[in-house]
Amino acid sequence: MTNPLLAHWDTPFELPPFDQITDDAYLPAVEAALAESRANIAAIADNPAAPDFANTIEALERADDTLGRVLGVFYNVAGADSNPAREKLQRDFAPMLSAYGSEVSENKALFQRVETIWQQRDDLDLTDEQQRVLMLTRRGFVRSGAQLEGDAAKKLRAVKSRLSVLGTEFTQNLLADEREWFMLLGDDDLDGLPDFVIATARAAGEEKDAGGPVVTLSRSLIVPFLQFSERRDLRQKAYEAWGARGAKGGKTDNRAIAAETLKLREERANLLGYDTFADFKLETEMAGTPQAVRDLLMDVWQPAKAAAEHDAKKLQQMLHADGFDGPLEPWDWRFYSEKRRKELHDLDEAELKPYLQLDRMIEAAFACANRLFGLEFAAIEGPSYHPDVRQWEVTRDGEHIAVFIGDYFARGSKRSGAWCSAMRSQQRLAGDIRPHVVNVCNFAKPQNGKPALLSYDDARTLFHEFGHALHQMLSDVTYESISGTSVARDFVELPSQLYEHWLEVPEVLSEFATHADTGKPMPEDLLKRMLGAATYDMGFQTVEYVASALVDLGFHDGPAPADPMQKQAEILAELGMPHAIRMRHATPHFAHVFAGDGYSSGYYSYMWSEVMDADAFAAFEEVGDPFDPETAKKLEQTVLSSGGSVDAADLYTAFRGRLPGVEALLKGRGLDTAA
Ligand SMILES: [Zn+2]
């Protein structure tokens, strides 16, 4: 029998035939697909014909067609509906795929063909998109060391392999420290804690067999504990334990690992011809240079610090009124800030919830996409991997655009968080391929057939992931490698974060935020309080984030520091870090930076994207219409349809006429008015 993953899919919209795909089909399909990929790569590298764009670059684009199709299905179900067999497959596939990746990037004959075409590029009459794909393909080879020979190549391989070991150790140490510590709460230790925190603490206590409720270092428990516990001594104890993760001495201490990591990253950058690791890392990003990142962060830092200092004074007065002398400490901030939030924006989640129905919020996301881009959504019944999954055909003027798949409810088999992926990406090289785009969320599933209700955060998540989906669905390029969300890391959150702004448009909420029982729209006063609460305490949040981003950058844009902790202290002293705020992630537990390479000298990118989304939405505000057709059309023609076919800064400039400024972000975070 043919493996259903490898057969032609004669299903509605060519969706994967999930009813026929059993778990034991994946491994043989991946093995067969990898063999096919290897044969394709060998055929390209050994082709006796002179290298040209079609026989090398386009052939490379298609070399993994089958592999991509199989893995598109697998990683979708492995993330959204896992089981022990799929977990094992995930572990098995990782080394198989990384070995294949290294073979390709270290294939000298292949790189030589790419290099030859690159050298001839001006005489080849390539389209702009082809030039871009050629540049990106070559750059990928060069950045993984294809130009290095002999000892340098050997050295680079050793550095990369040691870095991956260090990244794993860093993560495991951090997990060990997080698992080990807990604080047992006696009956007198529960003062101020709301029921949901006590319930979480009890569940954690049972899991640890601790004989009562406990505080652990999990963010979802320690943060509410710090917000609500009236016991200043316990808050201090918990806060200090939280801050000591990865720096407790002994076997799990991450400080030496951080130092060695920074040293090796510098070596890696130097071997590849860059002065610093930040130069290497930022080359592929929209920001481009360390200086551009620093400028942006410093533009935000000063107003954020001013706002935080203003807030710190208010909170310190509250501390003193409670009979404590001395300065406001880091373990006091969340507690007094929570009290102040109640005074300023009292928001009862229970009052809010009936207004945010999942189905109405999905309708709202669709309605905005209809008004902005003319998209229409019709429910379909295609094959799916789980009964909770919903599917729609997306059309425009009767023309098929995409299949949109929404998998909204939490379940044990789904990993946490929310994400957007494409089981199939848009492209034209292999025929006119339209995308299959999936949004996965973890919203609570209602009981007894009641309508599913969301928190405001959930609703934002829904819009956020739908923004990523639009980036995939409106993609209009020839080559898959630059399709949809295949863009720079500091650009990829623009469409998603931008889309969140439409949820805040009052006419959208008043139409779609209707009460589950009465059908009445949300009262204006509640709407105002909800939107006000969403930007509360931004001085604190911005300071703890920007400080971390500046330390990350400072670690990578100069010589590697021998003592990262000392370097961190110097950077914070120079910034004048407010006494009662610490970095969101200090070095010994800064997993974004040290658990792997993903966000090293890239932690800034959340803020970079937010600057852009605020500035981009301001384009609609400036013309006085959140659905202005001209602006929407421009947004689609530049940012949303182009994928990575054009440099991100050029795309943004084409949309906005200039690069983004921080003003709209400061306004959106309420930091422009700080006293
Ligand atoms: Zn996102």
Side-chain angles (χ1 to χ4, degrees):
M1 199 185 106
T2 343
N3 189 314
L5 284 154
L6 301 171
H8 172 73
W9 296 340
D10 194 13
T11 47
F13 306 101
E14 296 179 341
L15 286 161
F18 286 107
D19 49 339
Q20 294 167 34
I21 301 172
T22 51
D23 285 345
D24 52 14
Y26 286 111
L27 180 62
V30 167
E31 282 170 345
L34 269 173
E36 185 186 315
S37 286
R38 285 193 164 96
N40 290 339
I41 294 293
I44 302 166
D46 305 339
N47 189 343
D52 61 31
F53 192 84
N55 74 19
T56 304
I57 305 297
E58 288 190 346
L60 268 174
E61 283 279 320
R62 301 215 45 192
D64 299 331
D65 274 1
T66 306
L67 185 64
R69 189 167 81 136
V70 173
L71 293 177
V73 178
F74 175 72
Y75 283 114
N76 188 64
V77 295
D81 193 26
S82 199
N83 60 31
R86 292 172 187 174
E87 278 166 26
K88 177 169 188 316
L89 287 167
Q90 239 175 323
R91 285 193 299 273
D92 293 346
F93 290 165
M96 289 163 67
L97 295 170
S98 99
Y100 168 64
S102 305
E103 270 168 53
V104 175
S105 66
E106 288 170 14
N107 186 320
K108 290 281 174 199
L110 185 60
F111 175 65
Q112 201 41 61
R113 292 179 73 88
V114 173
E115 185 64 16
T116 303
I117 302 165
W118 172 251
Q119 297 303 337
Q120 299 167 348
R121 65 191 178 279
D122 292 336
D123 307 320
L124 295 179
D125 207 18
L126 300 176
T127 65
D128 289 350
E129 191 180 330
Q130 288 173 331
Q131 297 224 24
R132 174 88 180 159
V133 171
L134 172 61
M135 183 280 284
L136 292 171
T137 305
R138 176 183 178 270
R139 191 172 74 182
F141 276 101
V142 170
R143 287 172 62 83
S144 56
Q147 284 175 315
L148 298 187
E149 304 283 349
D151 281 354
K154 227 186 264 167
K155 182 90 219 170
L156 181 69
R157 211 171 301 141
V159 165
K160 281 205 262 189
S161 126
R162 177 73 186 145
L163 277 170
S164 91
V165 171
L166 290 173
T168 308
E169 273 179 31
F170 188 95
T171 313
Q172 286 172 348
N173 288 344
L174 187 53
L175 272 174
D177 277 8
E178 284 176 354
R179 279 191 191 138
E180 186 209 50
W181 190 91
F182 64 88
M183 179 169 72
L184 186 62
L185 299 174
D187 289 343
D188 315 338
D189 301 337
L190 304 175
D191 294 354
L193 300 182
D195 291 345
F196 84 90
V197 182
I198 296 176
T200 316
R202 278 197 204 291
E206 270 165 34
E207 208 183 298
K208 299 227 176 265
D209 229 347
V214 300
V215 179
T216 67
L217 299 179
S218 149
R219 195 171 265 274
S220 58
L221 181 49
I222 190 162
V223 168
F225 181 79
L226 292 168
Q227 270 174 323
F228 294 107
S229 172
E230 286 176 17
R231 287 283 301 276
R232 195 180 189 211
D233 57 332
L234 299 183
R235 291 200 311 264
Q236 177 173 1
K237 200 173 156 197
Y239 188 90
E240 284 175 345
W242 198 31
R245 286 169 298 153
K248 304 195 328 184
K251 275 201 317 221
T252 58
D253 198 301
N254 272 333
R255 286 172 290 191
I257 293 179
E260 189 185 350
T261 300
L262 295 176
K263 185 94 204 76
L264 289 173
R265 283 181 183 159
E266 182 180 32
E267 212 174 321
R268 177 176 174 191
N270 292 162
L271 280 166
L272 292 167
Y274 301 83
D275 283 344
T276 69
F277 185 75
D279 289 319
F280 166 67
K281 221 24 221 302
L282 293 167
E283 180 191 34
T284 58
E285 300 300 314
M286 177 178 173
T289 64
Q291 192 56 47
V293 172
R294 188 174 298 283
D295 288 348
L296 170 106
L297 292 172
M298 290 312 293
D299 282 350
V300 177
W301 173 258
Q302 287 307 342
K305 184 177 151 190
E309 281 169 345
H310 172 82
D311 291 339
K313 277 194 198 120
K314 305 258 177 213
L315 302 184
Q316 186 162 291
Q317 283 164 8
M318 295 167 78
L319 173 79
H320 291 173
D322 273 356
F324 295 105
D325 291 336
L328 184 79
E329 297 292 348
W331 44 91
D332 296 322
W333 190 291
R334 287 179 174 82
F335 177 72
Y336 288 103
S337 173
E338 176 59 26
K339 281 195 160 177
R340 190 168 167 234
R341 187 187 69 80
K342 268 204 191 115
E343 285 166 18
L344 296 178
H345 313 276
D346 189 18
L347 191 66
D348 182 354
E349 278 280 324
E351 186 189 350
L352 184 63
K353 255 202 155 161
Y355 290 100
L356 300 173
Q357 302 177 60
L358 170 64
D359 283 2
R360 297 290 283 155
M361 290 299 112
I362 296 172
E363 279 176 48
F366 289 177
C368 292
N370 180 265
R371 285 184 71 177
L372 290 162
F373 310 113
L375 300 180
E376 296 185 71
F377 298 80
I380 55 167
E381 298 278 338
S384 79
Y385 59 87
H386 192 278
D388 284 348
V389 170
R390 297 160 72 176
Q391 297 162 323
W392 291 267
E393 185 191 9
V394 187
T395 57
R396 176 155 58 187
D397 302 327
E399 193 187 331
H400 176 80
I401 296 284
V403 172
F404 175 69
I405 299 163
D407 179 0
Y408 292 109
F409 294 132
R411 55 178 169 262
S413 61
K414 195 186 270 189
R415 74 175 159 86
S416 60
W419 64 94
C420 173
S421 60
M423 275 196 289
R424 184 167 93 171
S425 298
Q426 182 274 329
Q427 59 148 314
R428 283 192 295 270
L429 187 64
D432 188 7
I433 306 286
R434 297 305 313 173
H436 297 159
V437 186
V438 193
N439 273 183
V440 184
C441 299
N442 267 290
F443 303 146
K445 189 173 175 174
Q447 308 296 321
N448 321 324
K450 288 205 177 116
L453 302 176
L454 304 183
S455 68
Y456 184 60
D457 261 1
D458 291 340
R460 272 176 59 167
T461 300
L462 188 147
F463 268 65
H464 179 101
E465 299 309 333
F466 192 74
H468 284 307
L470 284 172
H471 201 186
Q472 300 277 18
M473 297 192 287
L474 294 173
S475 178
D476 184 20
V477 298
T478 301
Y479 299 100
E480 189 181 0
S481 66
I482 49 161
S483 172
T485 54
S486 300
V487 298
R489 184 186 296 274
D490 60 1
F491 193 66
V492 75
E493 297 299 332
L494 169 61
S496 52
Q497 293 183 178
L498 175 58
Y499 209 67
E500 293 176 31
H501 288 270
W502 277 281
L503 178 61
E504 291 170 11
V505 171
E507 62 181 280
V508 173
L509 281 172
S510 49
E511 182 176 354
F512 293 97
T514 52
H515 197 282
D517 299 330
T518 66
K520 289 207 172 111
M522 184 184 290
E524 197 162 322
D525 164 61
L526 183 60
L527 199 150
K528 267 201 192 128
R529 275 183 289 145
M530 182 178 84
L531 295 177
T535 57
Y536 175 67
D537 214 12
M538 278 297 162
F540 170 84
Q541 289 183 34
T542 312
V543 161
E544 64 163 17
Y545 168 84
V546 174
S548 295
L550 283 164
V551 167
D552 167 36
L553 184 68
F555 278 164
H556 297 103
D557 76 341
D563 182 351
M565 296 306 284
Q566 191 197 328
K567 177 82 179 173
Q568 171 185 305
E570 284 166 16
I571 294 171
L572 296 178
E574 203 176 311
L575 286 172
M577 186 76 172
H579 175 76
I581 308 181
R582 292 195 185 149
M583 294 166 69
R584 187 172 165 86
H585 309 282
T587 303
H589 48 260
F590 204 164
H592 287 82
V593 173
F594 292 106
D597 223 5
Y599 277 90
S600 51
S601 89
Y603 191 62
Y604 77 91
S605 44
Y606 298 96
M607 182 65 67
W608 187 271
S609 300
E610 196 180 324
V611 163
M612 268 192 294
D613 74 67
D615 186 73
F617 192 70
F620 289 89
E621 293 173 325
E622 283 160 17
V623 294
D625 177 4
F627 296 99
D628 178 57
E630 285 297 302
T631 313
K633 195 169 165 192
K634 213 166 167 188
L635 179 68
E636 179 179 348
Q637 283 171 347
T638 55
V639 173
L640 293 176
S641 65
S642 306
S645 64
V646 178
D647 177 74
D650 294 341
L651 277 184
Y652 195 86
T653 308
F655 170 57
R656 202 66 169 100
R658 54 163 177 75
L659 286 169
V662 299
E663 296 73 23
L665 168 114
L666 295 177
K667 191 162 159 252
R669 288 198 162 209
L671 300 175
D672 56 335
T673 52

